[in-house]
Amino acid sequence: LESNSPNAMQWGRIYQSDPGNTVDDVKFSRDGKHVYAVVSENETGNYYIMHLYNFTIIDANDPIEMKRRLAFTRNIDTTGMRVVRNDTIFAANGDFFKRPITSISVDPRDGQDNLIITFGGYNYAEPNMVIVKNASNKDTRTVSALNVTNNANAMTIGDPVYSAIVALDKSNNPVLYAGTEKGVFTSSSLTSPTWQNFGDFIGVPVTSIVQQTASLKRESFIARDGVNNVEYLFAKTKYPRAIYFGTYG
C-alpha cells in the first residue's frame, strides 16, 4: 500500500537514542506490552537496557488521546509519534554495564518476568551473564550474576558469552543454554547454575541460539479462485521444541 493510504501500516517511533549511541538489539515481552532495547554508548564504553512500555494501549495517530491518557508530553512528537514510558536497567551496582551486551533473551515461561543478558569482551572483573528478575517492574527488579564457567573446557568468567535462552524441555522444565567462545553449556538452575558441556561444540564459538516454541497442527482449507476451488495445505511443525545453534567457524 502507498504510504498515504488510510490502510497503510503506520509506524511510530518509540525511542530515540542520544547522538553517538546505538541500539544493538531489541526484544519483546511475551504479552507484547514491554520492549527491551540494548543501548551502547560508543564513546564511553557504557552499556544499558532501555525498558519501554505503555505504547500498546494508545492510538499513535491520536495525539490528543495520547496526551490525555499519559498526562505528559515529554515524548510526544507530531512527526514520529513516539509515545512511551521508559526506565533504564543498569548493572547490580546501579552503574552501567561495562562489557558489551551481546544478547538479551526473555524467559518464555508463564508467570515469569525474567531477562537473560550476555556479555562479550574479555573482562575478569565483570560477569559474562546476568539474570534480571521482575524485569518490567523497576521497584522490585533485581540483577544477579549467572557466570558461565566450566573448568574442563577452560571456560572462565573473563570469556565472552554471545547468546543464551531459557528453553523448555518435554516436561516444561526450564533449561538455560549459553552459547560462548568455547562452545555450548547448559544448566537446569536459573539461580545458582552449574554449567555442563553440551553437544559437539567444544572450542566452537556459538553466536546464536533459538528454540522452536510453536507446535502447530497440519491445516488445510478450500478457497475460491474465480470459478475454481483451490486447496491450501499448511504442514505441521516438524520439530517442536527443537533448538538451533548458529556457530562461527
Side-chain angles (χ1 to χ4, degrees):
L1 297 175
E2 296 183 3
S3 59
N4 58 356
S5 168
N7 296 320
M9 180 181 294
Q10 302 296 314
W11 292 90
R13 183 169 50 188
I14 62 173
Y15 178 68
Q16 178 70 47
S17 64
D18 293 333
N21 297 351
T22 58
V23 176
D24 300 318
D25 195 4
V26 175
K27 289 294 188 299
F28 292 82
S29 63
R30 292 189 65 218
D31 59 12
K33 295 181 179 180
H34 302 266
V35 172
Y36 301 96
V38 174
V39 181
S40 301
E41 294 185 349
N42 299 320
E43 293 185 0
T44 63
N46 292 326
Y47 309 90
Y48 57 92
I49 306 291
M50 184 61 69
H51 168 223
L52 310 167
Y53 60 103
N54 263 28
F55 49 82
T56 58
I57 59 173
I58 297 167
D59 182 359
N61 296 308
D62 188 345
I64 296 177
E65 174 67 5
M66 289 191 294
K67 291 178 182 179
R68 185 184 70 81
R69 294 284 288 274
L70 290 182
F72 85 135
T73 59
R74 176 176 177 272
N75 279 344
I76 289 182
D77 182 335
T78 57
T79 59
M81 292 303 179
R82 48 186 178 89
V83 178
V84 297
R85 291 185 185 273
N86 61 66
D87 57 71
T88 306
I89 300 176
F90 291 111
N93 61 3
D95 198 357
F96 293 101
F97 295 108
K98 299 301 183 181
R99 297 178 73 164
I101 298 174
T102 51
S103 75
I104 49 176
S105 178
V106 176
D107 191 331
R109 296 174 293 164
D110 291 335
Q112 298 297 317
D113 185 20
N114 304 323
L115 290 180
I116 305 296
I117 307 175
T118 63
F119 301 91
Y122 297 88
N123 185 335
Y124 288 88
E126 302 289 337
N128 57 17
M129 178 188 290
V130 301
I131 182 171
V132 183
K133 295 185 177 180
N134 298 322
S136 65
N137 189 330
K138 65 180 180 180
D139 296 322
T140 60
R141 180 187 298 146
T142 61
V143 181
S144 305
L146 295 178
N147 289 315
V148 183
T149 60
N150 183 280
N151 292 334
N153 292 281
M155 179 69 194
T156 70
I157 184 178
D159 292 311
V161 178
Y162 299 120
S163 56
I165 64 168
V166 178
L168 299 178
D169 64 16
K170 294 180 179 179
S171 300
N172 280 331
N173 296 315
V175 180
L176 186 55
Y177 286 77
T180 77
E181 178 79 0
K182 298 180 178 179
V184 177
F185 301 94
T186 64
S187 172
S188 58
S189 172
L190 274 69
T191 54
S192 300
T194 299
W195 295 96
Q196 306 296 325
N197 183 66
F198 177 83
D200 297 325
F201 299 101
I202 297 176
V204 177
V206 176
T207 58
S208 180
I209 307 176
V210 178
Q211 183 176 33
Q212 169 61 272
T213 56
S215 183
L216 304 177
K217 64 181 181 179
R218 184 179 181 274
E219 296 282 0
S220 66
F221 68 93
I222 304 295
R224 193 77 172 174
D225 184 6
V227 297
N228 300 314
N229 289 331
V230 179
E231 183 178 16
Y232 292 89
L233 299 175
F234 295 88
K236 69 177 183 180
T237 303
K238 189 173 183 179
Y239 301 113
R241 305 210 175 179
I243 299 175
Y244 301 89
F245 302 90
T247 64
Y248 179 81

